[in-house]
Amino acid sequence: MKVLLVNGSPNKEGCTNRALQEIAMELAKSGIKSEIFWLGKEAIMSCASCGACNSSGRCAFGGPVNEFLDKAYEADGFIFGSPVHYAAASGAITSFLGRVFFAGSRNIDSPFYLKPGASVASARRAGTTSTFDQLNKFFTISNMPIISGGYWNMVHGFTPEDVEKDEEGLQNMRVIGRNMAWFLKVKEAGIKANVPYPIQEDQIATNFIR
């Protein structure tokens, strides 16, 4: 089993990465593999609403979006980490996830269908809860169980060294790692016991303006 962690910070070795590292170390203790996928420093355009992904399941503009999607099909769980920029997730991860989830269909063929997800926000001081809410919305529209901790998933600090002092925050990262590992093992046990997936219906799209 493997969890794919996304670092949505322009700083590869910054505070967001430190939080994700703590989770990865806890996953390893439970025998779960992990990989931290860094978005990099290059600009990531938002979805152009071209519709090309409707038939291909891949973004026509490529880049880290398709690279991630290739990995997503092989992953069993996901954790999205972002620094707080103006009380919101980073522009890079917002554009990235918009394209990733639009290209990944919402039915059983999706790379995200019934795979657990967690989000992590990193800030010097404030804006973490709004960022946390923003990232969680990608899960709740995609048939994904949400993995929680013992507190809202956040760490505080201006540098990775500051995050080291946030003992409660790092503890919660470990809780997330353990909860993710437990859920994955329970899901695996359910599949082995032939517990069927939920019945799927064709999606109904209701327009409010008629």
Side-chain angles (χ1 to χ4, degrees), residues 27-183:
L27 287 169
K29 293 178 183 178
S30 297
I32 308 294
K33 297 179 181 179
S34 64
E35 176 185 349
I36 296 180
F37 185 91
W38 181 49
L39 298 187
K41 290 182 175 289
E42 298 298 321
I44 299 177
M45 65 175 289
S46 60
C47 179
S49 193
C50 67
C53 63
N54 289 333
S55 58
S56 67
R58 294 173 63 80
C59 182
F61 297 95
V65 171
N66 285 344
E67 182 183 350
F68 175 83
L69 283 171
D70 289 340
K71 294 176 179 290
Y73 281 99
E74 303 300 322
D76 300 290
F78 303 91
I79 297 176
F80 302 135
S82 176
V84 172
H85 292 171
Y86 289 92
S90 72
I93 199 169
T94 301
S95 296
F96 170 80
L97 291 178
R99 288 166 58 195
V100 159
F101 276 88
F102 199 79
S105 62
R106 297 177 188 169
N107 58 27
I108 198 168
D109 297 323
S110 165
F112 306 108
Y113 179 71
L114 291 185
K115 293 181 181 179
S119 58
V120 172
S122 169
R124 181 190 69 84
R125 187 170 178 87
T128 47
T129 53
S130 53
T131 298
F132 182 55
D133 289 342
Q134 181 184 354
L135 294 174
N136 283 341
K137 288 181 173 65
F138 288 97
F139 306 135
T140 58
I141 199 174
S142 306
N143 290 295
M144 297 177 68
I146 295 179
I147 302 299
S148 61
Y151 194 78
W152 295 299
N153 304 356
M154 61 184 70
V155 295
H156 289 86
F158 189 63
T159 66
E161 291 75 23
D162 290 340
V163 174
E164 295 289 348
K165 301 173 186 177
D166 182 7
E167 296 181 5
E168 182 177 0
L170 288 180
Q171 181 185 54
N172 201 45
M173 296 304 106
R174 295 191 294 273
V175 173
I176 295 165
R178 291 194 292 270
N179 289 351
M180 173 68 79
W182 182 87
F183 184 93

